[in-house]
Amino acid sequence: VPIAPPAPPVIPPAVAVPVRPAPPPMPAAVVANAPGSATAIPDGLRVTFGTDRTDLNPATDSALRALVHDAATTPGASTTFTVTAFAAGTPEDPSTPRRLSLARALAVRSVLINEGIASIRIYVKAMGATAPAVADGPADRADIVVGSTPTETSAQAPSQPKSTP
């Protein structure tokens, strides 16, 4: 009985590998007469927006840039930014405020990225018209909280159990 030759190997399709980093996002729209303000909150900054608007004004834009430069001076830690955005809305239409809050969070994120913050250090939360928005502050806002995580060199290895002779 003749022996059949082995089946030819199956080669998967080629995978495209990026050779350079993705370009930074487009800069956020800065409009001179855009409503909004920037105020300090514990560990960060609160940026307010006009109703149904996602653009920043020069004061909020410069406050975000100052926040980045102040956070960059923390030695021995990797700075993270958590952007939690809210928008006014009604319970009948939860989608519109969620999309508006996402657009606001992405506008803040683009400022942070264009100031040199790596995108993996920015955490975006689009909350829409949730109940905490009314309890914690104005509905049309983005809260940027600066945190830090220890760097790999400063993190301690887990302790080894002691052996008894």
Side-chain angles (χ1 to χ4, degrees):
V1 174
I3 298 176
V10 177
I11 299 174
V15 176
V17 177
V19 294
R20 64 185 80 128
M26 294 295 296
V30 178
V31 179
N33 63 351
S37 63
T39 55
I41 59 172
D43 297 326
L45 183 71
R46 173 170 290 162
V47 176
T48 60
F49 294 86
T51 304
D52 296 329
R53 301 214 28 195
T54 62
D55 44 5
L56 301 169
N57 60 37
T60 56
D61 182 58
S62 64
L64 283 169
R65 294 177 193 281
L67 177 72
V68 170
H69 293 290
D70 291 344
T73 60
T74 307
S78 297
T79 306
T80 61
F81 295 83
T82 302
V83 181
T84 308
F86 300 90
T90 61
E92 297 84 31
D93 181 20
S95 177
T96 300
R98 180 67 62 102
R99 286 184 278 131
L100 181 59
S101 65
L102 178 61
R104 290 173 176 168
L106 293 177
V108 170
R109 178 181 174 268
S110 72
V111 171
L112 299 178
I113 289 174
N114 284 312
E115 285 299 306
I117 303 299
S119 63
I120 61 170
R121 300 274 180 219
I122 304 170
Y123 304 103
V124 173
K125 299 178 183 177
M127 304 304 288
T130 59
V134 177
D136 294 344
D140 293 313
R141 75 175 197 273
D143 293 337
I144 302 94
V145 176
V146 180
S148 62
T149 56
T151 58
E152 293 173 10
T153 57
S154 65
Q156 295 181 357
S159 61
Q160 298 295 326
K162 293 182 182 178
S163 61
T164 55

